[in-house]
Amino acid sequence: MVALVELKNLSKSFSDRTVLDNITLQIEEGEILALLGPNGSGKTTLLKILAFLEKPTGGEVTFQGVPVTAKNVEQLRLQSAMVFQRTMMFSTSVYNNVAYGLRMRKMPKTVIKEEVSKALSLVKLEGFEQRSAKNLSGGEQQRVALARALVLKTKLLLLDEPTANLDPKNAAIVEDVIATANRELKTTIVIATHNMFQAKTLPNRIALINDGVISEVGEPSEIFSRLSKNLASFAAVDNTFVGTAETTADGTTIVDIGNGVRIEATAQRSGEISIFISPQDIILSKSAVTSSARNVFKGRITSIIESGSLVKLTVDVGQPFAVQITKRSFSEMGLNLGSEVYIAFKASGVQVV
Amino acid sequence: MNPIIDGVQKAFQLIFSGDPTFYGVVYRSLFFSGVATILAALWGTPIAMLIGLREFRGKTLVKSFFNTMIGMPTVALGLILYLVFSKAGPLGPLGLLYTPAAIMLGEAVLVTPLIISITTNAIEAVDPEMMNLARTLGASESQTSIAILKEAMNGVILGNIAGFNRAVAELGVALLVGGGILGATDVLTTDISLYTQRGDLGLAIAFAIILLLIVFGINLIIMLAKKAKILLTFGRSPQ
Ligand SMILES: Nc1ncnc2c1ncn2[C@@H]1O[C@H](COP(=O)(O)OP(=O)(O)OP(=O)(O)O)[C@@H](O)[C@H]1O
Ligand SMILES: [Mg+2]
């Protein structure tokens, strides 16, 4: 494999604070690399350096073997495009948003028109051209942002938490587009993510980043098996637990994750394993309802974070679980910090990593 | 008969008469203020972009300087400009004193701090990450600045309207550097002052009504625009 970008002993500090520390990493041509790390670990900063938007304070960045300098940085920016963590729209139409980069590249009008409509159909927003970008829903805006970057067909695409604030339907569209771009345009993609599941299915390689240091790089299967313990202790990953598994008589597995929390899973495993439950698969209720869910726990809400149309809650049932619900249900249920709630999820929703 | 009622009556006769001398004054007022606003925008906008987009030492000082200058009494500025344009002054040889050019330049200077302050605020209100957005999409540094200016367009337009408003309504500069020469450099405000002194209240009131209509009209437009958000979307359509 050929390296598209090479980072050598890269570091970045803001005033006195070291945010990235001695990072050496090769991004290979055509791969999807996931940067997995907790809040504040330096993912966004690293992506901005890869987008040539932020200047490292130490070390070297080379793009296709060429060192990045103040002189060639504007030229190099044409080879990479970043989609930001916080979606930003120019206050104009969707068409003008997606066409922006092509206009900067002085493409002919007819080509721009064609490319914009192709890019919009890729993100399933056909016919949205004349809509005002700022009036779209959060999910639609995020897809416009993706189309706006994809349409440039840059060698390198940098995606900062591309699905973090999306509902499952929008997230699926975005993941699909990412995979398509990588497969058909051979775009090299770096994704910063918190989402364990995304990190498992999409990328060819995963780099774990913590406190500005890359601790592990490897294939997902490798990372998830060899490092399962390390991973679970990794604050980045919601709803990942290490526990001891025992198979039951009816063919399921009980995983004791400590503090009296015993989770039933369908996978047949025993011994020490790591499990993951997607926040979207967890159902929240105010009382214990009878359902087919094999796992029901009672707990209290310990944190509430609003993001877009969703609300992310942490429910402590002995172990902290991240749960996602819509803003609407959140207000309809009249929930508060400290509210007593039940969480439920199916045994089949428990993934062994 | 009451001179005030008489004046109001005469004023309405004038307004509806279509009298060319009367409307010449209205035209000059709008034209001089319009050119002054355009001039101030031409040099004020780049300055506002520098202040709004760059980090430099003394930035707060520069900003508070322009903020203070907004409150400059127009007669004081008029006097300073009179000295600049007068025969012995630095621009004396140009012979601009008591010409339309002097009024337009003078009013441009007057409204510059206002336009710079409002435009700077509008630019600073734009998410600074927008610059990175434009850059990553391939914009050069100057194209990036233009993208930010476009995002601030609402505020920029508002600043220019406010500048025009101030230019139309001020007296000090127009009188001191324009001289209020009838038919040449007189504008609404200088004529209101002149005819009031002469006791010709009809004309004075007529000019004042027009001036108020212009100022109210401008503010009405701003209000409606804010309501309809027509200033929020702009830019070329693909066709
Ligand atoms: N411009 C800046 N000036 C000062 N500190 C900064 C700046 N940008 C980032 N930082 C700091 O650098 C650290 C890493 O930030 P960064 O945004 O890269 O983290 P992250 O991994 O993307 O986090 P998150 O998951 O919350 O997005 C943080 O502590 C942040 O406060
Ligand atoms: Mg980040």
Side-chain angles (χ1 to χ4, degrees), chain A residues 48 82 86 89 91-92 95-96 101 105 130, chain B residues 127 129-130 133 135-137 143 151 234 236 238:
Chain A
K48 280 187 181 166
M82 176 159 173
R86 197 157 31 82
M89 292 285 117
S91 349
T92 175
Y95 182 93
N96 285 337
R105 285 163 173 76
Q130 296 315 316
Chain B
D127 183 349
E129 270 292 271
M130 276 288 200
L133 172 62
R135 286 185 190 121
T136 196
L137 296 176
Q143 287 166 327
E151 290 306 305
F234 55 88
R236 288 175 295 151

mmCIF file with all atom_site columns, all heavy atoms in Angstrom, chain A residues 48 82 86 89 91-92 95-96 101 105 130, chain B residues 127 129-130 133 135-137 143 151 234 236 238:
data_model
loop_
_atom_site.group_PDB
_atom_site.id
_atom_site.type_symbol
_atom_site.label_atom_id
_atom_site.label_alt_id
_atom_site.label_comp_id
_atom_site.label_asym_id
_atom_site.label_entity_id
_atom_site.label_seq_id
_atom_site.pdbx_PDB_ins_code
_atom_site.Cartn_x
_atom_site.Cartn_y
_atom_site.Cartn_z
_atom_site.occupancy
_atom_site.B_iso_or_equiv
_atom_site.pdbx_formal_charge
_atom_site.auth_seq_id
_atom_site.auth_comp_id
_atom_site.auth_asym_id
_atom_site.auth_atom_id
_atom_site.pdbx_PDB_model_num
ATOM 1   N N   . LYS A 1 48  ? -8.175  18.445 11.276  1.00 0.00 ? 48  LYS A N   1
ATOM 2   C CA  . LYS A 1 48  ? -7.907  19.772 10.707  1.00 0.00 ? 48  LYS A CA  1
ATOM 3   C C   . LYS A 1 48  ? -6.483  19.863 10.173  1.00 0.00 ? 48  LYS A C   1
ATOM 4   O O   . LYS A 1 48  ? -6.230  20.567 9.202   1.00 0.00 ? 48  LYS A O   1
ATOM 5   C CB  . LYS A 1 48  ? -8.135  20.856 11.757  1.00 0.00 ? 48  LYS A CB  1
ATOM 6   C CG  . LYS A 1 48  ? -9.610  21.182 11.931  1.00 0.00 ? 48  LYS A CG  1
ATOM 7   C CD  . LYS A 1 48  ? -9.787  22.360 12.845  1.00 0.00 ? 48  LYS A CD  1
ATOM 8   C CE  . LYS A 1 48  ? -11.253 22.668 13.040  1.00 0.00 ? 48  LYS A CE  1
ATOM 9   N NZ  . LYS A 1 48  ? -11.446 23.594 14.169  1.00 0.00 ? 48  LYS A NZ  1
ATOM 10  N N   . MET A 1 82  ? -12.952 18.506 4.188   1.00 0.00 ? 82  MET A N   1
ATOM 11  C CA  . MET A 1 82  ? -13.369 18.093 5.527   1.00 0.00 ? 82  MET A CA  1
ATOM 12  C C   . MET A 1 82  ? -14.847 18.402 5.742   1.00 0.00 ? 82  MET A C   1
ATOM 13  O O   . MET A 1 82  ? -15.332 19.448 5.315   1.00 0.00 ? 82  MET A O   1
ATOM 14  C CB  . MET A 1 82  ? -12.512 18.837 6.558   1.00 0.00 ? 82  MET A CB  1
ATOM 15  C CG  . MET A 1 82  ? -12.914 18.580 8.001   1.00 0.00 ? 82  MET A CG  1
ATOM 16  S SD  . MET A 1 82  ? -11.560 18.967 9.124   1.00 0.00 ? 82  MET A SD  1
ATOM 17  C CE  . MET A 1 82  ? -12.394 18.790 10.705  1.00 0.00 ? 82  MET A CE  1
ATOM 18  N N   . ARG A 1 86  ? -19.689 20.185 13.625  1.00 0.00 ? 86  ARG A N   1
ATOM 19  C CA  . ARG A 1 86  ? -20.883 21.016 13.702  1.00 0.00 ? 86  ARG A CA  1
ATOM 20  C C   . ARG A 1 86  ? -21.241 21.409 12.275  1.00 0.00 ? 86  ARG A C   1
ATOM 21  O O   . ARG A 1 86  ? -20.443 22.008 11.576  1.00 0.00 ? 86  ARG A O   1
ATOM 22  C CB  . ARG A 1 86  ? -20.553 22.261 14.535  1.00 0.00 ? 86  ARG A CB  1
ATOM 23  C CG  . ARG A 1 86  ? -21.717 23.022 15.051  1.00 0.00 ? 86  ARG A CG  1
ATOM 24  C CD  . ARG A 1 86  ? -21.306 23.854 16.285  1.00 0.00 ? 86  ARG A CD  1
ATOM 25  N NE  . ARG A 1 86  ? -19.909 24.310 16.246  1.00 0.00 ? 86  ARG A NE  1
ATOM 26  C CZ  . ARG A 1 86  ? -19.510 25.379 15.579  1.00 0.00 ? 86  ARG A CZ  1
ATOM 27  N NH1 . ARG A 1 86  ? -20.360 26.099 14.914  1.00 0.00 ? 86  ARG A NH1 1
ATOM 28  N NH2 . ARG A 1 86  ? -18.233 25.747 15.591  1.00 0.00 ? 86  ARG A NH2 1
ATOM 29  N N   . MET A 1 89  ? -23.960 25.667 7.201   1.00 0.00 ? 89  MET A N   1
ATOM 30  C CA  . MET A 1 89  ? -24.499 25.902 5.864   1.00 0.00 ? 89  MET A CA  1
ATOM 31  C C   . MET A 1 89  ? -24.267 27.365 5.497   1.00 0.00 ? 89  MET A C   1
ATOM 32  O O   . MET A 1 89  ? -24.452 28.245 6.337   1.00 0.00 ? 89  MET A O   1
ATOM 33  C CB  . MET A 1 89  ? -26.012 25.636 5.845   1.00 0.00 ? 89  MET A CB  1
ATOM 34  C CG  . MET A 1 89  ? -26.409 24.175 6.035   1.00 0.00 ? 89  MET A CG  1
ATOM 35  S SD  . MET A 1 89  ? -26.112 23.205 4.542   1.00 0.00 ? 89  MET A SD  1
ATOM 36  C CE  . MET A 1 89  ? -24.888 22.052 5.152   1.00 0.00 ? 89  MET A CE  1
ATOM 37  N N   . SER A 1 91  ? -25.630 30.707 4.021   1.00 0.00 ? 91  SER A N   1
ATOM 38  C CA  . SER A 1 91  ? -27.029 31.150 3.962   1.00 0.00 ? 91  SER A CA  1
ATOM 39  C C   . SER A 1 91  ? -27.456 31.393 2.529   1.00 0.00 ? 91  SER A C   1
ATOM 40  O O   . SER A 1 91  ? -27.585 32.527 2.095   1.00 0.00 ? 91  SER A O   1
ATOM 41  C CB  . SER A 1 91  ? -27.267 32.425 4.760   1.00 0.00 ? 91  SER A CB  1
ATOM 42  O OG  . SER A 1 91  ? -26.187 32.739 5.562   1.00 0.00 ? 91  SER A OG  1
ATOM 43  N N   . THR A 1 92  ? -27.648 30.325 1.819   1.00 0.00 ? 92  THR A N   1
ATOM 44  C CA  . THR A 1 92  ? -28.121 30.417 0.445   1.00 0.00 ? 92  THR A CA  1
ATOM 45  C C   . THR A 1 92  ? -28.784 29.079 0.120   1.00 0.00 ? 92  THR A C   1
ATOM 46  O O   . THR A 1 92  ? -29.070 28.302 1.024   1.00 0.00 ? 92  THR A O   1
ATOM 47  C CB  . THR A 1 92  ? -26.937 30.769 -0.490  1.00 0.00 ? 92  THR A CB  1
ATOM 48  O OG1 . THR A 1 92  ? -27.391 30.743 -1.829  1.00 0.00 ? 92  THR A OG1 1
ATOM 49  C CG2 . THR A 1 92  ? -25.781 29.802 -0.345  1.00 0.00 ? 92  THR A CG2 1
ATOM 50  N N   . TYR A 1 95  ? -28.346 24.262 -3.630  1.00 0.00 ? 95  TYR A N   1
ATOM 51  C CA  . TYR A 1 95  ? -27.547 24.210 -4.861  1.00 0.00 ? 95  TYR A CA  1
ATOM 52  C C   . TYR A 1 95  ? -26.252 24.999 -4.697  1.00 0.00 ? 95  TYR A C   1
ATOM 53  O O   . TYR A 1 95  ? -25.159 24.498 -4.967  1.00 0.00 ? 95  TYR A O   1
ATOM 54  C CB  . TYR A 1 95  ? -28.345 24.763 -6.050  1.00 0.00 ? 95  TYR A CB  1
ATOM 55  C CG  . TYR A 1 95  ? -27.576 24.677 -7.350  1.00 0.00 ? 95  TYR A CG  1
ATOM 56  C CD1 . TYR A 1 95  ? -27.716 23.583 -8.189  1.00 0.00 ? 95  TYR A CD1 1
ATOM 57  C CD2 . TYR A 1 95  ? -26.680 25.681 -7.728  1.00 0.00 ? 95  TYR A CD2 1
ATOM 58  C CE1 . TYR A 1 95  ? -26.995 23.478 -9.363  1.00 0.00 ? 95  TYR A CE1 1
ATOM 59  C CE2 . TYR A 1 95  ? -25.951 25.590 -8.894  1.00 0.00 ? 95  TYR A CE2 1
ATOM 60  C CZ  . TYR A 1 95  ? -26.111 24.490 -9.717  1.00 0.00 ? 95  TYR A CZ  1
ATOM 61  O OH  . TYR A 1 95  ? -25.379 24.396 -10.866 1.00 0.00 ? 95  TYR A OH  1
ATOM 62  N N   . ASN A 1 96  ? -26.382 26.248 -4.242  1.00 0.00 ? 96  ASN A N   1
ATOM 63  C CA  . ASN A 1 96  ? -25.195 27.094 -4.103  1.00 0.00 ? 96  ASN A CA  1
ATOM 64  C C   . ASN A 1 96  ? -24.220 26.543 -3.075  1.00 0.00 ? 96  ASN A C   1
ATOM 65  O O   . ASN A 1 96  ? -23.013 26.716 -3.203  1.00 0.00 ? 96  ASN A O   1
ATOM 66  C CB  . ASN A 1 96  ? -25.602 28.517 -3.719  1.00 0.00 ? 96  ASN A CB  1
ATOM 67  C CG  . ASN A 1 96  ? -26.194 29.266 -4.895  1.00 0.00 ? 96  ASN A CG  1
ATOM 68  O OD1 . ASN A 1 96  ? -25.940 28.925 -6.049  1.00 0.00 ? 96  ASN A OD1 1
ATOM 69  N ND2 . ASN A 1 96  ? -27.004 30.265 -4.607  1.00 0.00 ? 96  ASN A ND2 1
ATOM 70  N N   . GLY A 1 101 ? -17.571 24.730 -3.850  1.00 0.00 ? 101 GLY A N   1
ATOM 71  C CA  . GLY A 1 101 ? -16.203 24.277 -4.104  1.00 0.00 ? 101 GLY A CA  1
ATOM 72  C C   . GLY A 1 101 ? -15.893 24.137 -5.588  1.00 0.00 ? 101 GLY A C   1
ATOM 73  O O   . GLY A 1 101 ? -14.772 24.405 -6.037  1.00 0.00 ? 101 GLY A O   1
ATOM 74  N N   . ARG A 1 105 ? -13.144 26.082 -7.956  1.00 0.00 ? 105 ARG A N   1
ATOM 75  C CA  . ARG A 1 105 ? -12.249 25.387 -8.877  1.00 0.00 ? 105 ARG A CA  1
ATOM 76  C C   . ARG A 1 105 ? -12.485 25.798 -10.321 1.00 0.00 ? 105 ARG A C   1
ATOM 77  O O   . ARG A 1 105 ? -11.960 25.168 -11.235 1.00 0.00 ? 105 ARG A O   1
ATOM 78  C CB  . ARG A 1 105 ? -12.429 23.870 -8.711  1.00 0.00 ? 105 ARG A CB  1
ATOM 79  C CG  . ARG A 1 105 ? -11.773 23.327 -7.440  1.00 0.00 ? 105 ARG A CG  1
ATOM 80  C CD  . ARG A 1 105 ? -12.311 21.956 -7.092  1.00 0.00 ? 105 ARG A CD  1
ATOM 81  N NE  . ARG A 1 105 ? -11.599 21.334 -5.971  1.00 0.00 ? 105 ARG A NE  1
ATOM 82  C CZ  . ARG A 1 105 ? -11.763 21.666 -4.701  1.00 0.00 ? 105 ARG A CZ  1
ATOM 83  N NH1 . ARG A 1 105 ? -12.619 22.627 -4.383  1.00 0.00 ? 105 ARG A NH1 1
ATOM 84  N NH2 . ARG A 1 105 ? -11.093 21.054 -3.749  1.00 0.00 ? 105 ARG A NH2 1
ATOM 85  N N   . GLN A 1 130 ? -33.213 24.039 -4.838  1.00 0.00 ? 130 GLN A N   1
ATOM 86  C CA  . GLN A 1 130 ? -33.626 25.430 -4.609  1.00 0.00 ? 130 GLN A CA  1
ATOM 87  C C   . GLN A 1 130 ? -34.052 25.717 -3.174  1.00 0.00 ? 130 GLN A C   1
ATOM 88  O O   . GLN A 1 130 ? -34.392 26.842 -2.834  1.00 0.00 ? 130 GLN A O   1
ATOM 89  C CB  . GLN A 1 130 ? -34.752 25.819 -5.576  1.00 0.00 ? 130 GLN A CB  1
ATOM 90  C CG  . GLN A 1 130 ? -34.322 25.814 -7.042  1.00 0.00 ? 130 GLN A CG  1
ATOM 91  C CD  . GLN A 1 130 ? -32.973 26.483 -7.255  1.00 0.00 ? 130 GLN A CD  1
ATOM 92  O OE1 . GLN A 1 130 ? -32.694 27.541 -6.695  1.00 0.00 ? 130 GLN A OE1 1
ATOM 93  N NE2 . GLN A 1 130 ? -32.108 25.862 -8.042  1.00 0.00 ? 130 GLN A NE2 1
ATOM 94  N N   . ASP B 2 127 ? -19.971 32.596 12.526  1.00 0.00 ? 127 ASP B N   1
ATOM 95  C CA  . ASP B 2 127 ? -19.200 31.497 13.096  1.00 0.00 ? 127 ASP B CA  1
ATOM 96  C C   . ASP B 2 127 ? -17.801 31.466 12.470  1.00 0.00 ? 127 ASP B C   1
ATOM 97  O O   . ASP B 2 127 ? -17.659 31.316 11.263  1.00 0.00 ? 127 ASP B O   1
ATOM 98  C CB  . ASP B 2 127 ? -19.957 30.197 12.766  1.00 0.00 ? 127 ASP B CB  1
ATOM 99  C CG  . ASP B 2 127 ? -19.296 28.975 13.363  1.00 0.00 ? 127 ASP B CG  1
ATOM 100 O OD1 . ASP B 2 127 ? -18.152 29.098 13.852  1.00 0.00 ? 127 ASP B OD1 1
ATOM 101 O OD2 . ASP B 2 127 ? -19.921 27.913 13.345  1.00 0.00 ? 127 ASP B OD2 1
ATOM 102 N N   . GLU B 2 129 ? -15.668 29.263 12.352  1.00 0.00 ? 129 GLU B N   1
ATOM 103 C CA  . GLU B 2 129 ? -15.383 28.005 11.651  1.00 0.00 ? 129 GLU B CA  1
ATOM 104 C C   . GLU B 2 129 ? -15.784 28.073 10.178  1.00 0.00 ? 129 GLU B C   1
ATOM 105 O O   . GLU B 2 129 ? -15.329 27.271 9.366   1.00 0.00 ? 129 GLU B O   1
ATOM 106 C CB  . GLU B 2 129 ? -16.142 26.844 12.318  1.00 0.00 ? 129 GLU B CB  1
ATOM 107 C CG  . GLU B 2 129 ? -15.387 26.143 13.430  1.00 0.00 ? 129 GLU B CG  1
ATOM 108 C CD  . GLU B 2 129 ? -14.174 25.352 12.960  1.00 0.00 ? 129 GLU B CD  1
ATOM 109 O OE1 . GLU B 2 129 ? -14.335 24.168 12.635  1.00 0.00 ? 129 GLU B OE1 1
ATOM 110 O OE2 . GLU B 2 129 ? -13.063 25.925 12.947  1.00 0.00 ? 129 GLU B OE2 1
ATOM 111 N N   . MET B 2 130 ? -16.653 29.032 9.842   1.00 0.00 ? 130 MET B N   1
ATOM 112 C CA  . MET B 2 130 ? -17.061 29.222 8.447   1.00 0.00 ? 130 MET B CA  1
ATOM 113 C C   . MET B 2 130 ? -15.850 29.469 7.552   1.00 0.00 ? 130 MET B C   1
ATOM 114 O O   . MET B 2 130 ? -15.852 29.126 6.380   1.00 0.00 ? 130 MET B O   1
ATOM 115 C CB  . MET B 2 130 ? -18.006 30.420 8.342   1.00 0.00 ? 130 MET B CB  1
ATOM 116 C CG  . MET B 2 130 ? -19.441 30.095 8.630   1.00 0.00 ? 130 MET B CG  1
ATOM 117 S SD  . MET B 2 130 ? -20.105 29.153 7.271   1.00 0.00 ? 130 MET B SD  1
ATOM 118 C CE  . MET B 2 130 ? -21.811 29.381 7.483   1.00 0.00 ? 130 MET B CE  1
ATOM 119 N N   . LEU B 2 133 ? -14.506 26.265 6.710   1.00 0.00 ? 133 LEU B N   1
ATOM 120 C CA  . LEU B 2 133 ? -15.398 25.612 5.749   1.00 0.00 ? 133 LEU B CA  1
ATOM 121 C C   . LEU B 2 133 ? -15.075 26.075 4.331   1.00 0.00 ? 133 LEU B C   1
ATOM 122 O O   . LEU B 2 133 ? -14.888 25.267 3.426   1.00 0.00 ? 133 LEU B O   1
ATOM 123 C CB  . LEU B 2 133 ? -16.861 25.919 6.095   1.00 0.00 ? 133 LEU B CB  1
ATOM 124 C CG  . LEU B 2 133 ? -17.890 25.455 5.067   1.00 0.00 ? 133 LEU B CG  1
ATOM 125 C CD1 . LEU B 2 133 ? -17.866 23.941 4.904   1.00 0.00 ? 133 LEU B CD1 1
ATOM 126 C CD2 . LEU B 2 133 ? -19.289 25.909 5.450   1.00 0.00 ? 133 LEU B CD2 1
ATOM 127 N N   . ARG B 2 135 ? -12.339 27.436 3.265   1.00 0.00 ? 135 ARG B N   1
ATOM 128 C CA  . ARG B 2 135 ? -10.989 27.008 2.887   1.00 0.00 ? 135 ARG B CA  1
ATOM 129 C C   . ARG B 2 135 ? -10.955 25.545 2.454   1.00 0.00 ? 135 ARG B C   1
ATOM 130 O O   . ARG B 2 135 ? -10.348 25.205 1.450   1.00 0.00 ? 135 ARG B O   1
ATOM 131 C CB  . ARG B 2 135 ? -10.029 27.185 4.066   1.00 0.00 ? 135 ARG B CB  1
ATOM 132 C CG  . ARG B 2 135 ? -9.666  28.622 4.337   1.00 0.00 ? 135 ARG B CG  1
ATOM 133 C CD  . ARG B 2 135 ? -8.616  28.694 5.434   1.00 0.00 ? 135 ARG B CD  1
ATOM 134 N NE  . ARG B 2 135 ? -8.425  30.067 5.859   1.00 0.00 ? 135 ARG B NE  1
ATOM 135 C CZ  . ARG B 2 135 ? -8.611  30.490 7.102   1.00 0.00 ? 135 ARG B CZ  1
ATOM 136 N NH1 . ARG B 2 135 ? -8.967  29.645 8.059   1.00 0.00 ? 135 ARG B NH1 1
ATOM 137 N NH2 . ARG B 2 135 ? -8.423  31.749 7.404   1.00 0.00 ? 135 ARG B NH2 1
ATOM 138 N N   . THR B 2 136 ? -11.619 24.692 3.226   1.00 0.00 ? 136 THR B N   1
ATOM 139 C CA  . THR B 2 136 ? -11.533 23.268 2.901   1.00 0.00 ? 136 THR B CA  1
ATOM 140 C C   . THR B 2 136 ? -12.253 22.976 1.586   1.00 0.00 ? 136 THR B C   1
ATOM 141 O O   . THR B 2 136 ? -11.967 21.990 0.915   1.00 0.00 ? 136 THR B O   1
ATOM 142 C CB  . THR B 2 136 ? -12.066 22.372 4.037   1.00 0.00 ? 136 THR B CB  1
ATOM 143 O OG1 . THR B 2 136 ? -11.608 21.038 3.804   1.00 0.00 ? 136 THR B OG1 1
ATOM 144 C CG2 . THR B 2 136 ? -13.575 22.347 4.087   1.00 0.00 ? 136 THR B CG2 1
ATOM 145 N N   . LEU B 2 137 ? -13.186 23.853 1.197   1.00 0.00 ? 137 LEU B N   1
ATOM 146 C CA  . LEU B 2 137 ? -13.867 23.662 -0.086  1.00 0.00 ? 137 LEU B CA  1
ATOM 147 C C   . LEU B 2 137 ? -13.059 24.268 -1.235  1.00 0.00 ? 137 LEU B C   1
ATOM 148 O O   . LEU B 2 137 ? -13.478 24.227 -2.374  1.00 0.00 ? 137 LEU B O   1
ATOM 149 C CB  . LEU B 2 137 ? -15.270 24.258 -0.029  1.00 0.00 ? 137 LEU B CB  1
ATOM 150 C CG  . LEU B 2 137 ? -16.216 23.581 0.977   1.00 0.00 ? 137 LEU B CG  1
ATOM 151 C CD1 . LEU B 2 137 ? -17.545 24.303 1.039   1.00 0.00 ? 137 LEU B CD1 1
ATOM 152 C CD2 . LEU B 2 137 ? -16.430 22.116 0.623   1.00 0.00 ? 137 LEU B CD2 1
ATOM 153 N N   . GLN B 2 143 ? -11.113 34.806 -1.170  1.00 0.00 ? 143 GLN B N   1
ATOM 154 C CA  . GLN B 2 143 ? -12.443 34.228 -1.390  1.00 0.00 ? 143 GLN B CA  1
ATOM 155 C C   . GLN B 2 143 ? -13.091 33.843 -0.066  1.00 0.00 ? 143 GLN B C   1
ATOM 156 O O   . GLN B 2 143 ? -14.308 33.931 0.099   1.00 0.00 ? 143 GLN B O   1
ATOM 157 C CB  . GLN B 2 143 ? -12.338 32.997 -2.302  1.00 0.00 ? 143 GLN B CB  1
ATOM 158 C CG  . GLN B 2 143 ? -12.046 33.365 -3.746  1.00 0.00 ? 143 GLN B CG  1
ATOM 159 C CD  . GLN B 2 143 ? -11.599 32.171 -4.573  1.00 0.00 ? 143 GLN B CD  1
ATOM 160 O OE1 . GLN B 2 143 ? -10.937 31.261 -4.068  1.00 0.00 ? 143 GLN B OE1 1
ATOM 161 N NE2 . GLN B 2 143 ? -11.951 32.169 -5.849  1.00 0.00 ? 143 GLN B NE2 1
ATOM 162 N N   . GLU B 2 151 ? -21.981 35.965 4.468   1.00 0.00 ? 151 GLU B N   1
ATOM 163 C CA  . GLU B 2 151 ? -22.740 35.465 5.619   1.00 0.00 ? 151 GLU B CA  1
ATOM 164 C C   . GLU B 2 151 ? -23.183 36.625 6.508   1.00 0.00 ? 151 GLU B C   1
ATOM 165 O O   . GLU B 2 151 ? -24.188 36.543 7.197   1.00 0.00 ? 151 GLU B O   1
ATOM 166 C CB  . GLU B 2 151 ? -21.895 34.478 6.440   1.00 0.00 ? 151 GLU B CB  1
ATOM 167 C CG  . GLU B 2 151 ? -21.643 33.155 5.750   1.00 0.00 ? 151 GLU B CG  1
ATOM 168 C CD  . GLU B 2 151 ? -22.910 32.479 5.290   1.00 0.00 ? 151 GLU B CD  1
ATOM 169 O OE1 . GLU B 2 151 ? -23.809 32.265 6.113   1.00 0.00 ? 151 GLU B OE1 1
ATOM 170 O OE2 . GLU B 2 151 ? -23.032 32.182 4.085   1.00 0.00 ? 151 GLU B OE2 1
ATOM 171 N N   . PHE B 2 234 ? -29.847 35.154 -0.409  1.00 0.00 ? 234 PHE B N   1
ATOM 172 C CA  . PHE B 2 234 ? -29.308 35.941 -1.508  1.00 0.00 ? 234 PHE B CA  1
ATOM 173 C C   . PHE B 2 234 ? -28.437 34.991 -2.309  1.00 0.00 ? 234 PHE B C   1
ATOM 174 O O   . PHE B 2 234 ? -28.340 33.802 -2.024  1.00 0.00 ? 234 PHE B O   1
ATOM 175 C CB  . PHE B 2 234 ? -28.480 37.111 -0.981  1.00 0.00 ? 234 PHE B CB  1
ATOM 176 C CG  . PHE B 2 234 ? -27.407 36.686 -0.060  1.00 0.00 ? 234 PHE B CG  1
ATOM 177 C CD1 . PHE B 2 234 ? -26.165 36.325 -0.554  1.00 0.00 ? 234 PHE B CD1 1
ATOM 178 C CD2 . PHE B 2 234 ? -27.652 36.575 1.308   1.00 0.00 ? 234 PHE B CD2 1
ATOM 179 C CE1 . PHE B 2 234 ? -25.185 35.891 0.312   1.00 0.00 ? 234 PHE B CE1 1
ATOM 180 C CE2 . PHE B 2 234 ? -26.661 36.127 2.154   1.00 0.00 ? 234 PHE B CE2 1
ATOM 181 C CZ  . PHE B 2 234 ? -25.440 35.787 1.653   1.00 0.00 ? 234 PHE B CZ  1
ATOM 182 N N   . ARG B 2 236 ? -26.696 33.834 -6.269  1.00 0.00 ? 236 ARG B N   1
ATOM 183 C CA  . ARG B 2 236 ? -27.182 33.513 -7.593  1.00 0.00 ? 236 ARG B CA  1
ATOM 184 C C   . ARG B 2 236 ? -27.955 32.208 -7.595  1.00 0.00 ? 236 ARG B C   1
ATOM 185 O O   . ARG B 2 236 ? -27.692 31.303 -6.837  1.00 0.00 ? 236 ARG B O   1
ATOM 186 C CB  . ARG B 2 236 ? -25.997 33.381 -8.552  1.00 0.00 ? 236 ARG B CB  1
ATOM 187 C CG  . ARG B 2 236 ? -25.379 34.723 -8.870  1.00 0.00 ? 236 ARG B CG  1
ATOM 188 C CD  . ARG B 2 236 ? -24.156 34.503 -9.710  1.00 0.00 ? 236 ARG B CD  1
ATOM 189 N NE  . ARG B 2 236 ? -23.144 33.786 -8.950  1.00 0.00 ? 236 ARG B NE  1
ATOM 190 C CZ  . ARG B 2 236 ? -22.264 32.995 -9.514  1.00 0.00 ? 236 ARG B CZ  1
ATOM 191 N NH1 . ARG B 2 236 ? -22.294 32.767 -10.788 1.00 0.00 ? 236 ARG B NH1 1
ATOM 192 N NH2 . ARG B 2 236 ? -21.336 32.414 -8.785  1.00 0.00 ? 236 ARG B NH2 1
ATOM 193 N N   . PRO B 2 238 ? -28.975 28.821 -9.847  1.00 0.00 ? 238 PRO B N   1
ATOM 194 C CA  . PRO B 2 238 ? -28.156 28.081 -10.800 1.00 0.00 ? 238 PRO B CA  1
ATOM 195 C C   . PRO B 2 238 ? -28.417 28.428 -12.262 1.00 0.00 ? 238 PRO B C   1
ATOM 196 O O   . PRO B 2 238 ? -27.540 28.287 -13.088 1.00 0.00 ? 238 PRO B O   1
ATOM 197 C CB  . PRO B 2 238 ? -28.523 26.627 -10.526 1.00 0.00 ? 238 PRO B CB  1
ATOM 198 C CG  . PRO B 2 238 ? -29.816 26.662 -9.796  1.00 0.00 ? 238 PRO B CG  1
ATOM 199 C CD  . PRO B 2 238 ? -29.808 27.949 -9.034  1.00 0.00 ? 238 PRO B CD  1
#
